[in-house]
Amino acid sequence: MLAKRIQSRLDHLCLEFIRQASLVVATRNPQDVPPISSATSVYPLVADGTGISILNNASADKLVFTLPPGKDTWGVTTSDSSGGQVSLYFLVTGVGHGLRVNGHYQIEPVHGQLLMTVRVQTAYLHCARAASRGELWQSVPASPADSAPQDLAALLADCRYCLLHTSNAEGQSQLSPRGDPAGFLQLLDDGHLFLAERPGNKVAVSLSNILEQPTVAVTGLFPGRPGWLELVGTARISDDPHLLTLCTVAGKRPHLGILLSLDYWAWRPAPALAEASLWTPPSDDLAKPDVTPFARALAEHMQGTGLMGKVVHKVVDTVVKRDMKQLY
């Protein structure tokens, strides 16, 4: 039944989420990324030409974006084009769960602009546990920094939410959110990184992908800061008791973790990400996003809107509430 939550097209619930989204993380297959290039772009989403990225079209099988001129678009300029596998993760300000979309992208210059077309292959609503553990929407500093520390250790000490990008042997990729108290990306004495594997969506696609193809990318988000952290390296699954003990939270030690040997890291400047409205949920109830609750949307994806859908919704709602109380 868990497999039923994965959609092959964007239904009305997915499109509702996308149209309310304030931010999208777009990551291409990390095994194809040279060290001088970025695997990731993080775009604020806006509805007009004054912002950073515009969602021009959203349909069941296709998304079309206008990308910002002069910003990071994986090295593509207005005189050439690029394409390949892509994973997208949409975030709605103040909403814990997210939407991941996988497919094939093509970036093309059109009338001096870059258009990115994504042909949808799969879509999936992801639970709110990572955002809750990392307090994503409660962690905006009162006075956001004008810049980020250029020291990796300092950045990791502040990071409380990231997205892990993995792909299988066929190049099909996934973006999976990870969140914990600040400093949860452990920088070890030998230069490796260690990331705890917490309870999540009960699918474990990321771990399966690492067993098939160990090159991964990690995108660290910092609410209110003008950029993001990018890490690319080779991962393996570890059950080292010492490393797992380092990741104990609320008396709960994880059973597994991901050990990452870094190939490179970079701070990717993006001044638009410092905009407070991207990270601070509106206080006015009328301005809050109108998004279908996660449990209801998940139940509909699994069993539709009929009698079975209503029965499944009650079960899913109970499970989701239990999971949110048992973050570790």
Side-chain angles (χ1 to χ4, degrees):
M1 183 171 289
L2 288 174
K4 290 184 178 181
R5 65 172 75 176
I6 300 175
Q7 307 294 296
S8 61
R9 293 162 63 86
L10 300 175
D11 69 350
H12 72 102
L13 294 168
C14 296
L15 292 172
E16 171 194 76
F17 198 93
I18 289 170
R19 289 168 180 145
Q20 294 280 340
S22 52
L23 196 71
V24 60
V25 179
T27 311
R28 60 175 170 169
N29 195 329
Q31 63 183 330
D32 297 331
V33 178
I36 61 173
S37 178
S38 174
T40 306
S41 289
V42 183
Y43 299 119
L45 292 172
V46 296
D48 56 48
T50 63
I52 297 302
S53 179
I54 306 168
L55 178 61
N56 294 332
N57 180 270
S59 61
D61 57 3
K62 183 174 68 175
L63 298 170
V64 181
F65 302 87
T66 298
L67 299 182
K71 301 293 180 182
D72 173 53
T73 50
W74 300 329
V76 181
T77 69
T78 53
S79 61
D80 61 11
S81 60
S82 177
Q85 289 290 323
V86 68
S87 291
L88 307 175
Y89 196 85
F90 292 88
L91 291 163
V92 176
T93 303
V95 175
H97 66 281
L99 174 68
R100 61 166 77 167
V101 177
N102 299 322
H104 188 276
Y105 80 92
Q106 187 70 39
I107 298 178
E108 297 178 299
V110 178
H111 304 305
Q113 295 181 312
L114 287 174
L115 294 186
M116 180 170 72
T117 301
V118 177
R119 300 286 179 179
V120 176
Q121 295 171 331
T122 61
Y124 175 87
L125 287 166
H126 200 289
C127 73
R129 295 171 98 177
S132 181
R133 284 191 291 259
E135 297 183 342
L136 177 63
W137 304 116
Q138 294 82 40
S139 59
V140 183
S143 299
D146 293 331
S147 61
Q150 296 303 304
D151 175 71
L152 177 59
L155 284 166
L156 294 175
D158 285 344
C159 186
R160 57 175 64 240
Y161 184 87
C162 69
L163 290 130
L164 174 67
H165 185 212
T166 63
S167 61
N168 63 18
E170 288 73 43
Q172 298 169 326
S173 60
Q174 293 283 350
L175 268 173
S176 178
R178 297 289 195 272
D180 253 342
F184 76 105
L185 286 166
Q186 300 273 349
L187 181 60
L188 306 179
D189 291 339
D190 61 4
H192 284 76
L193 293 180
F194 190 72
L195 172 63
E197 180 69 10
R198 303 294 189 192
N201 58 21
K202 304 176 178 67
V203 178
V205 173
S206 297
L207 298 184
S208 298
N209 284 350
I210 288 172
L211 291 174
E212 291 188 25
Q213 194 291 111
T215 303
V216 305
V218 177
T219 303
L221 300 182
F222 298 79
R225 284 190 173 175
W228 70 88
L229 174 64
E230 181 175 33
L231 308 160
V232 174
T234 303
R236 67 178 178 87
I237 301 169
S238 173
D239 61 356
D240 185 303
H242 171 68
L243 296 179
L244 295 173
T245 298
L246 293 176
C247 301
T248 299
V249 177
K252 299 291 183 67
R253 193 184 81 166
H255 299 293
L256 293 172
I258 298 169
L259 189 65
L260 180 63
S261 175
L262 274 179
D263 291 332
Y264 79 94
W265 71 273
W267 173 256
R268 303 292 182 186
L273 290 181
E275 174 58 48
S277 62
L278 287 174
W279 306 102
T280 305
S283 56
D284 185 353
D285 287 341
L286 295 177
K288 290 182 178 179
D290 185 16
V291 175
T292 301
F294 175 69
R296 182 177 297 279
L298 185 58
E300 184 171 331
H301 277 173
M302 295 169 70
Q303 286 292 344
T305 57
L307 178 60
M308 280 302 299
K310 294 178 181 178
V311 172
V312 169
H313 174 231
K314 293 182 180 180
V315 176
V316 170
D317 187 58
T318 299
V319 172
V320 169
K321 289 178 179 177
R322 182 201 64 196
D323 286 350
M324 293 303 294
K325 291 180 180 179
Q326 299 175 357
L327 296 177
Y328 295 95

